[in-house]
């Protein structure tokens, strides 16, 4: 059972929590999502390599880290005449099974050891 003292203290803290924000000044409203996206993308650079690969670079010096992502136009949506055949999914599984020079799991292990994620 909750005591009257506990209830009184809870009500006091609740009242204080409700009363303080207006006294301290309301926080500014958050920016519109489209404005945040527009500002973020303004730092995005796009370039094309000689082999046709498209690169996107966005520098962010807010932390001492580097993140690299490689995305390819793969998957059912890009299979053209083979759409729905699952060819991209089959190739993905071939990577897990290894190659003539890399045993099963070695590609994934190398990527994991370098701090990456595959799949």
């Amino acid at each position: 059972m909750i005591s009257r003292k506990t209830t009184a203290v809870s009500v006091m803290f609740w009242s204080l929590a409700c009363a303080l924000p207006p006294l301290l000044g309301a926080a500014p409203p958050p920016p519109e999502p489209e404005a945040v996206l527009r500002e973020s993308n303004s730092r995005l650079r796009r370039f094309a390599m000689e082999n046709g690969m498209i690169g996107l670079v966005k520098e962010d010096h807010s932390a001492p880290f580097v993140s690299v992502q490689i995305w390819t136009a793969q998957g059912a949506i890009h299979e053209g005449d083979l759409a729905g055949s699952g060819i991209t999914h089959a190739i993905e599984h071939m990577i897990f099974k290894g190659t003539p020079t890399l045993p099963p799991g070695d590609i994934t292990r190398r990527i994991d050891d370098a701090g990456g994620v595959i799949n």
Side-chain angles (χ1 to χ4, degrees):
M1 177 172 222
I2 299 174
S3 71
R4 288 182 189 213
K5 183 177 179 182
T6 302
T7 303
V9 170
S10 296
V11 169
M12 183 179 72
F13 279 121
W14 176 254
S15 300
L16 189 60
C18 292
L20 272 180
L23 295 175
L24 298 175
E32 292 294 321
E34 289 179 14
V36 172
L37 188 59
R38 199 176 312 65
E39 192 278 326
S40 177
N41 286 346
S42 70
R43 299 185 312 265
L44 189 67
R45 293 182 314 183
R46 182 182 192 273
F47 60 92
M49 296 188 210
E50 289 180 14
N51 65 3
M53 181 181 263
I54 302 297
L56 300 172
V57 175
K58 180 178 169 186
E59 291 186 38
D60 181 349
H61 299 274
S62 63
F65 299 99
V66 173
S67 174
V68 176
Q69 296 183 22
I70 300 173
W71 293 42
T72 59
Q74 305 301 317
I77 195 169
H78 299 285
E79 290 181 354
D81 293 340
L82 300 172
S85 67
I87 190 72
T88 303
H89 191 74
I91 292 170
E92 173 195 5
H93 281 268
M94 289 169 60
I95 291 173
F96 300 137
K97 292 181 179 187
T99 70
T101 59
L102 298 169
D106 199 47
I107 296 172
T108 301
R109 194 170 17 267
R110 288 179 181 204
I111 292 171
D112 289 345
D113 289 348
V117 177
I118 188 169
N119 192 11

